[in-house]
Amino acid sequence: MDLFSRSWAALRTAVAELPDEDFARPSGCAGWLVRDLVCHLVIDAQDVLITLATPAEGAPTRDAVTYWEISRTPPTGEDPLDALTVRLAAAYEEPRLLKFHLDDVGSAAGRAAGLADPALRVGTRDEVITVADYLSVYVMEWTLHHLDLIAYLPDAADPPADGLARAREMLEKIAGAAFPASFSDKDALLVGTGRRAPTEAERAELGDLAAKLPLYLG
């Protein structure tokens, strides 16, 4: 719960501190500007609220690791839902409106997460998952999207260190192998999820793991 809250608060703060001109810069998500990514975060916050208000019966069918659908095909930004996000973001017209909506819905999502019973089972994507695992999923989501947000903003702050470490741990479980100790948590996530290509030296260090990468999480 605490790690979810810290990761989410850091990401929302990073958005709140962006000057207006940065909303028109590219993000780390293919085909999306920063404003498009922020609009996606609003949708993510709505998803958190909906899921936490959707109790489910039966045994969990997914956990924080098996929740993800893994693809070897990189996103292009041309998926219909991705394209819809771009249109929604453009409709805001002014960055302050996006900031306001993210703060409003995002704060509510954060409060709902803090009040939720970690052992409660909830339904999402036709699956059953505990609240604790669902919020861990979003530690990964917030951390990766924080990296996407600052991809072309060199002066912006990185995600929280403990969020980076937890996201790396989950990615290693998804990959079924550990990244070399020489990789920082940030670099493991960027290379592991295809947000940047490994250098020749990094590829050599990855060894057999290089053949499994990148993993596109959806």
Side-chain angles (χ1 to χ4, degrees):
M1 295 288 193
D2 289 345
L3 191 49
F4 170 94
S5 296
R6 286 196 298 277
S7 299
W8 188 215
L11 179 50
R12 285 159 42 220
T13 297
V15 172
E17 293 177 348
L18 290 178
D20 285 0
E21 57 268 24
D22 283 350
F23 279 71
R25 297 183 188 276
S27 77
C29 295
W32 279 1
L33 302 176
V34 166
R35 72 178 186 187
D36 306 323
L37 173 57
V38 174
C39 185
H40 172 74
L41 296 179
V42 172
I43 297 169
D44 267 355
Q46 292 171 339
D47 184 68
V48 170
L49 286 168
I50 292 167
T51 300
L52 293 179
T54 309
E57 297 180 355
T61 56
R62 297 289 178 112
D63 60 26
V65 173
T66 60
Y67 170 90
W68 299 99
E69 299 292 338
I70 310 302
S71 173
R72 297 304 300 274
T73 304
T76 63
E78 296 176 359
D79 177 89
L81 287 177
D82 291 347
L84 175 61
T85 299
V86 173
R87 294 196 297 274
L88 287 173
Y92 280 89
E93 294 185 352
E94 298 179 38
R96 66 179 178 84
L97 299 176
L98 256 179
K99 287 182 177 182
F100 173 80
H101 200 181
L102 179 62
D103 180 65
D104 192 34
V105 181
S107 295
R111 290 192 298 271
L115 293 169
D117 177 357
L120 180 70
R121 295 167 186 174
V122 293
T124 182
R125 304 204 304 193
D126 296 323
E127 303 287 352
V128 178
I129 189 170
T130 66
V131 165
D133 277 325
Y134 180 70
L135 296 183
S136 289
V137 163
Y138 267 91
V139 171
M140 174 78 87
E141 178 86 353
W142 303 146
T143 300
L144 290 176
H145 280 330
H146 196 141
L147 294 174
D148 292 329
L149 182 78
I150 66 173
Y152 299 95
L153 305 174
D155 297 328
D158 281 342
D162 49 359
L164 286 165
R166 174 64 177 139
R168 176 188 183 145
E169 177 188 338
M170 288 189 284
L171 185 62
E172 289 178 336
K173 288 180 179 178
I174 292 168
F179 285 86
S182 60
F183 277 58
S184 69
D185 294 336
K186 180 178 178 178
D187 285 331
L189 292 170
L190 292 174
V191 170
T193 61
R195 282 165 164 81
R196 76 165 177 83
T199 65
E200 287 301 319
E202 287 172 335
R203 183 173 294 278
E205 284 191 81
L206 286 167
D208 292 342
L209 178 56
K212 298 182 178 181
L213 302 178
L215 301 172
Y216 299 106
L217 308 184

